[in-house]
Amino acid sequence: MLFALAAASVLASTAYAQTPSLNISQGCQSTLAGLAVSSDAQCINASGLVTAFATLDANTSIVGPVNNWLSGACSQQPCSNQTLSSLISNITAGCANDLSALGFSSSDTQTVISEVQQFYPTVREVVCLKNSTSNNLCVTDLLNDVQGAVGTLSENNIGTIVSSFFGNTDKLQALLKSAACTDCVKAAYNTINSKFPGLITSDDQSSISSTCGSGFTDGKTPSSVSQTAAGVSGSSNNNSGALAAFPVTSLTVALSGLASVFVFFA
Ligand SMILES: *[C@@H]1O[C@H](CO)[C@@H](O)[C@H](O)[C@H]1NC(C)=O
Ligand SMILES: *[C@@H]1O[C@H](CO)[C@@H](O)[C@H](O)[C@H]1NC(C)=O
Ligand SMILES: *[C@@H]1O[C@H](CO)[C@@H](O)[C@H](O)[C@H]1NC(C)=O
Ligand SMILES: *[C@@H]1O[C@H](CO)[C@@H](O)[C@H](O)[C@H]1NC(C)=O
Ligand SMILES: *[C@@H]1O[C@H](CO)[C@@H](O)[C@H](O)[C@H]1NC(C)=O
């Protein structure tokens, strides 16, 4: 959810740069630009998010930038509850008018904060799962598969793809079938099931095991999938000597990211 919120903010801000009809207030823009250089927001790799998206043109695939941003975020220590609270408070305050136009009321802030605090560690673990065979994040492989099936996932294409896709249930079903029973999805299923027992109901579990086979719900960690979220046991990113996969700690990157934001917003 937080990732989605952050991604939406930056996608919206890059979209704003290209299509001035998308109307993001000055205050919201400076809040987002402030997050890009905030040391507190490094746990979601906010500087990498801006760097990855600020210079993206509307016909270029978002898969590479999403992959770079997430890989960098996974190599960062997780956000504390306090940081999550501060991040969301800053965004909801700085973008209050913009969010209220989308139906969000500032009285919801506390609810959003506690929901994000509750789900963030699990979402982070799922998003940071890696396919050890391809050496990509599972999310990246999934996006590449989707892209192979439906065409380049660029800002200009996404609207068309989404509408043509949901109008074509055969295509949708074929993709779901091939994507549903993979080791990556099994690892995600295990993670969610262990963190939130009961969230996947026993009815759901039996329909999942009848679709994917009983081995899918045996709770065993697939050997071809590894965890990259720093600070999570068994993560490949816990070697304290390892450099971040993405140079999020580099001041130069942060500053050039900020500079691009200002260039776009100018
Ligand atoms: C942009 O947003 C502001 C305040 O949120 C509003 O007053 C203005 O009418 C909007 N402009 C357009 C073109 O939608
Ligand atoms: C994107 O592609 C369209 C159609 O090919 C073209 O008209 C447009 O100029 C391109 N935009 C950018 C930013 O390259
Ligand atoms: C929120 O804003 C305050 C005041 O500008 C700043 O000190 C804090 O670091 C910001 N929080 C995050 C997560 O960036
Ligand atoms: C963070 O907050 C959530 C609920 O708001 C709570 O369930 C969780 O235990 C907290 N985590 C830590 C590390 O304090
Ligand atoms: C993992 O990577 C291998 C090699 O690229 C690929 O064949 C396989 O489909 C990937 N698994 C998933 C779940 O994407």
Side-chain angles (χ1 to χ4, degrees), residues 141-251:
D141 276 347
L142 180 66
L143 289 174
N144 277 326
D145 288 350
V146 170
Q147 192 163 252
V150 303
T152 307
L153 296 174
S154 68
E155 195 185 309
N156 274 348
N157 267 353
I158 282 174
T160 329
I161 286 174
V162 169
S163 51
S164 75
F165 205 46
F166 285 100
N168 183 341
T169 43
D170 287 349
K171 220 174 180 178
L172 187 62
Q173 273 177 356
L175 187 70
L176 285 178
K177 239 183 193 157
S178 72
C181 303
T182 63
D183 282 353
C184 274
V185 177
K186 179 178 175 181
Y189 171 90
N190 287 348
T191 305
I192 294 167
N193 225 7
S194 72
K195 292 295 177 64
F196 293 99
L199 189 67
I200 303 173
T201 63
S202 55
D203 275 359
D204 288 341
Q205 296 195 19
S206 39
S207 72
I208 291 169
S209 70
S210 71
T211 305
C212 296
S214 58
F216 193 87
T217 52
D218 64 11
K220 292 194 181 121
T221 306
S223 59
S224 65
V225 179
S226 59
Q227 180 54 260
T228 67
V232 171
S233 77
S235 165
S236 55
N237 262 325
N238 282 343
N239 181 350
S240 55
L243 285 171
F246 195 67
V248 283
T249 49
S250 147
L251 185 62

Side-chain angles (χ1 to χ4, degrees), residues 81 113-115 117-118 121:
N81 270 350
I113 290 174
S114 32
E115 284 182 0
Q117 287 174 338
Q118 197 187 347

